[in-house]
Each structure stands twice: as structure tokens, then as C-alpha cells.
């Protein structure tokens, strides 16, 4: 029945976890914020939670944590965005672990007897204390975040500053700063890695040393096929005019589904494993493709992301990063775990 389906390949996600674990030698905190980067936080977390290599999950805000608890997630859930006044009760009720990065967060947690982790800003310029040491018996972990993992010199400075901070604490169970790209530093004094993108099979850069399997496939149905003569305009603003008689397919997937408009006239979708060009402007719910020479019919599937092209590849054409493309995926795409 569904016109657009996102398939989560369970085995591939699990392989990626194993590869990251082997490479880093550390258990994972799986980052599933923003609905697991648009893929679906509940199905992703459910398929990860029985893996030994997964120690905890990380989300951005308390509401995301509650959603996972309600779905039956039992492992630790870190809330990266901290805790504001009025939220503290939910942390107790749903057994969430706040990442404290400001004195106001600590104030909100006064007399709240739960484990906390403390974030340090070693060069990200976003969340975290600079170097003040927090004395609090509830602290079970400290973390920091690399801003530019591909800049080795700067990353080493961040790692060194974090090392000095870690020395000030005793008895920590969690010490972490490596994201997907950051795992290449194999930070020796860290206890965990904190990864999102790589779990889903997207390499943070070419020559990434961890072997990853593409784990997400998106396809959508063709809802119209017709032959148009030479000189016929396609889609809003007539940005494409046929140069020859053209068999034009309409795919039930548009920018509202996550296929960014900046891919218009630039990117390709895949029909039976072969590239078919996007013609004209991508519209809210539909995208036109060139099916000239293909036996395509209404009801056939077209591949958008998968073996043939990654989110990272499409994002590059769109002039953005895979994170943005992925978090644009709509909830109206059916999620399926296979
Ligand atoms: C999103 C996020 C991560 C995960 O980054 P990836 O590049 O997806 O691995 C790790 N740590 C923090 C603080 C984050 O916000």
C-alpha cells in the first residue's frame, strides 16, 4: 500500500556496531537524537538494545528520552541537551541521565538523586564548562565534543585539554569524546565512543578506516508515466525543457519527503539499478524522472537511497551534509525493519 518505504537493514546496522566496537575497542553510546537522524529512533534503538557493544543511547532532549522509554528501551539514555528547570521530574520518572553543561542545569537538579554526566567545551564553542571542576557525588561521567575531526592538529589540542580535565576526576564510569569521524583518534583514556552517522552506514569521510555497510534503503513508487514531445516544459518554473521525445515518470517522493529541492535537475534516482535523471524542479510530493528507453510502468519502484547512492553522495550534490538530508526525511515514509 505504501508509496514510499524506508528499509532498515538490521544485520547491516549490527555489523556496523561490531565494526566500530572492534576498531575502537570501546563500547558504544548510540546517538539516536532527532528520531535517529530521521531514520526512526524507536526501531533503531529496539534493534540495538540487546547488543552487548551498546552501553547507552544519546538523545538531544528530554522528550526524545521519554519516547524511547515508552517504547521499551531499558538501557541508559543520556540527554545531551542538559536539563532545564521544570524538566527534572521527568529525569527521575523515566530514569534519564542528564548531561550537565551549565550551572543552571545543576541548579535544576538540586536534591535530585540521579547519576549525571558533565560536558566540557574544549573547542566546540557550543555546550560545556571550560575548565571548572564540578564537585558532586552524582557525577558518573565526563564528555567533550570534537568540532573538526578532520583537522588533526586542532583535534589533538582538544583531546589534550580533555585529558587534563579527566585527570581532575576520580571513579568515572564514562569518559567519551569520539563521534563517528572522531573514532580515528582512538582516544586512549576514553571509555566509550559516542556515534551516530556511522551506525547508519554513512562514512564520515572517504577512506574511513572502519568498514561500514549501507543500512538504509529508500524507494518510492512511480505514479505516472507518459511520453512528452520535444520542447515540453517540466515542473514549476519550466527549469527543464525536453530536448527530445521523452518518457517522463512521476515518482511519489518530493521535497516534503526529504528530497531537497536543490537536487532538481542535478541528481539521479535509480530504476532497476540504473540511474535515471531528475527532470525539472522537485515538487512537494512528486519528482519527475527521465525513463526514456525503459520499460517502466505505473506502480514500479524507484530507488532513492541504497546500494546505488548514499545520503552522503546526495548531500554533496545538494550542497549540504548527510545529517541535514537525513533529518529532513518525512514521517509519512513507511519505516520497515528487515
Ligand atoms: C550528534 C552528536 C554526536 C554524534 O555524531 P556523529 O557524527 O553522528 O557520530 C556525538 N556527540 C554529540 C555531542 C552530538 O551532538
Amino acid at each position: 500500500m505504501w508509496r514510499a518505504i524506508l528499509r532498515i537493514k538490521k544485520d547491516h546496522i549490527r555489523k556496523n556496531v561490531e565494526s566500530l566496537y572492534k576498531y575502537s575497542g570501546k563500547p558504544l553510546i548510540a546517538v539516536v537524537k532527532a528520531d535517529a537522524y530521521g531514520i526512526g529512533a524507536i526501531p533503531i534503538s529496539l534493534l540495538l538494545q540487546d547488543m552487548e557493544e551498546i552501553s547507552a543511547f544519546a538523545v538531544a532532549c528530554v522528550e526524545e528520552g521519554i519516547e524511547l522509554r515508552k517504547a521499551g528501551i531499558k538501557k541508559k539514555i543520556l540527554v545531551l541537551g542538559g536539563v532545564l528547570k521544570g524538566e527534572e521530574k521527568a529525569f527521575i520518572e523515566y530514569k534519564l541521565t542528564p548531561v550537565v553543561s551549565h550551572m543552571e542545569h545543576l541548579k535544576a537538579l538540586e536534591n535530585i538523586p540521579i547519576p549525571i554526566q558533565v560536558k566540557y567545551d574544549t573547542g566546540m564553542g557550543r555546550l560545556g564548562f571550560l575548565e571548572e571542576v564540578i564537585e558532586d557525588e552524582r557525577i558518573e561521567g565526563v564528555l567533550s565534543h570534537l568540532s573538526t575531526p578532520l583537522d588533526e592538529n586542532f583535534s589533538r589540542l582538544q583531546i589534550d585539554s580533555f585529558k587534563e580535565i579527566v585527570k581532575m576526576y576520580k571513579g568515572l564510569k564514562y569518559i567519551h569524546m569520539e563521534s563517528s569521524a572522531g573514532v580515528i583518534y582512538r582516544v586512549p583514556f576514553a571509555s566509550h565512543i559516542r556515534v551516530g552517522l556511522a551506525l547508519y552506514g554513512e562514512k564520515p569521510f572517504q577512506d574511513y578506516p572502519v568498514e561500514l555497510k549501507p543500512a538504509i534503503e529508500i524507494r518510492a513508487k512511480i505514479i505516472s508515466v507518459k511520453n512528452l514531445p520535444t520542447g515540453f516544459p517540466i515542473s514549476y518554473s519550466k527549469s527543464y525543457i525536453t530536448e527530445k521525445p521523452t518518457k517522463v515518470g512521476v515518482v511519489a517522493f518530493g521535497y516534503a519527503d526529504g528530497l531537497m529541492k536543490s537536487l532538481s535537475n542535478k541528481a539521479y534516482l535509480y530504476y532497476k539499478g540504473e540511474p535515471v535523471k531528475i527532470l525539472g524542479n522537485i515538487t512537494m510530493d512528486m519528482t519527475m524522472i527521465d525513463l526514456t528507453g525503459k520499460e517502466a510502468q505505473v506502480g514500479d519502484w524507484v530507488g532513492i537511497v541504497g546500494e546505488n547512492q548514499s545520503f552522503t553522495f546526495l548531500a554533496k550534490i545538494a550542497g549540504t551534509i548527510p545529517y541535514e538530508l537525513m533529518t529532513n526525511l518525512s514521517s509519512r515514509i513507511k519505516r520497515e525493519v528487515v
Side-chain angles (χ1 to χ4, degrees):
M1 190 179 86
W2 298 90
R3 291 178 168 208
I5 295 182
L6 182 155
R7 266 197 174 157
I8 301 166
K9 295 184 179 170
K10 191 156 66 179
D11 293 349
H12 287 194
I13 301 248
R14 291 199 166 139
K15 273 254 155 50
N16 294 340
V17 168
E18 285 164 11
S19 303
L20 286 158
Y21 177 76
K22 271 202 198 111
Y23 180 84
S24 68
K26 296 170 198 144
L28 282 70
I29 297 169
V31 180
V32 294
K33 66 195 182 198
D35 203 20
Y37 297 22
I39 294 166
I42 292 175
I44 292 286
S45 305
L46 286 174
L47 77 87
L48 289 179
Q49 89 156 338
D50 60 359
M51 293 189 76
E52 268 178 47
E53 296 89 343
I54 302 286
S55 283
F57 294 94
V59 295
C61 58
V62 63
E63 291 81 3
E64 291 181 341
I66 294 172
E67 193 192 354
L68 291 187
R69 280 284 181 254
K70 285 187 170 162
I73 298 302
K74 301 281 190 289
K75 284 190 171 164
K76 178 178 283 293
I77 300 176
L78 277 176
V79 177
L80 296 169
V83 47
L84 300 179
K85 280 218 172 74
E87 293 176 342
E88 64 281 352
K89 291 236 165 60
F91 278 83
I92 304 180
E93 186 176 348
Y94 293 96
K95 286 194 74 188
L96 306 174
T97 306
V99 172
V100 169
S101 56
H102 198 284
M103 283 302 175
E104 289 297 322
H105 301 174
L106 276 175
K107 269 194 210 155
L109 290 169
E110 257 169 46
N111 304 316
I112 306 285
I114 55 171
I116 62 179
Q117 301 200 11
V118 181
K119 189 165 194 182
Y120 283 90
D121 192 339
T122 54
M124 173 70 185
R126 194 173 64 177
L127 291 180
F129 295 100
L130 295 179
E131 48 218 2
E132 47 277 55
V133 174
I134 312 294
E135 293 196 23
D136 192 313
E137 286 181 349
R138 296 170 297 179
I139 297 172
E140 61 163 11
V142 294
L143 56 147
S144 188
H145 194 42
L146 297 168
S147 75
T148 320
L150 298 189
D151 179 336
E152 179 166 354
N153 289 335
F154 188 71
S155 296
R156 298 244 177 248
L157 287 175
Q158 282 198 266
I159 293 166
D160 290 344
S161 322
F162 187 47
K163 189 175 182 183
E164 292 308 306
I165 289 154
V166 168
K167 278 187 195 158
M168 316 289 254
Y169 286 91
K170 294 226 159 50
L172 294 172
K173 283 196 281 189
Y174 287 84
I175 302 167
H176 44 109
M177 82 179 312
E178 295 149 89
S179 57
S180 296
V183 299
I184 55 171
Y185 295 105
R186 295 175 139 147
V187 176
F189 59 88
S191 63
H192 292 74
I193 57 172
R194 197 177 61 236
V195 292
L197 193 71
L199 294 176
Y200 313 124
E202 296 288 318
K203 294 183 181 178
F205 53 88
Q206 262 188 342
D207 310 324
Y208 189 57
V210 185
E211 198 197 314
L212 297 179
K213 294 206 176 289
I216 309 299
E217 235 175 57
I218 301 177
R219 58 203 170 103
K221 274 184 179 168
I222 297 175
I223 57 175
S224 162
V225 179
K226 66 176 182 277
N227 294 305
L228 292 177
T230 306
F232 207 96
I234 292 185
S235 196
Y236 292 120
S237 310
K238 313 188 295 287
S239 66
Y240 185 85
I241 312 277
T242 56
E243 290 159 358
K244 54 178 171 39
T246 305
K247 184 169 178 178
V248 176
V250 180
V251 182
F253 204 89
Y255 59 74
D257 299 286
L259 197 63
M260 296 167 123
K261 185 165 175 279
S262 52
L263 294 166
S264 300
N265 287 309
K266 285 190 187 156
Y268 290 78
L269 305 185
Y270 283 81
Y271 180 76
K272 297 203 156 109
E274 288 185 24
V276 288
K277 192 162 203 267
I278 293 175
L279 302 178
N281 284 354
I282 293 168
T283 70
M284 191 180 290
D285 314 303
M286 290 170 260
T287 297
M288 276 57 84
I289 51 172
D290 187 351
L291 292 172
T292 308
K294 310 264 188 283
E295 291 286 316
Q297 291 177 21
V298 170
D300 287 354
W301 290 103
V302 167
I304 295 160
V305 164
E307 302 274 317
N308 293 304
Q309 71 185 347
S310 61
F311 286 111
T312 303
F313 182 81
L314 272 180
K316 201 165 259 173
I317 301 173
T320 182
I321 51 175
Y323 304 84
E324 191 186 20
L325 194 88
M326 294 166 80
T327 53
N328 268 320
L329 295 170
S330 160
S331 57
R332 80 175 165 194
I333 307 167
K334 164 81 176 157
R335 268 65 172 179
E336 203 175 76
V337 180
V338 295

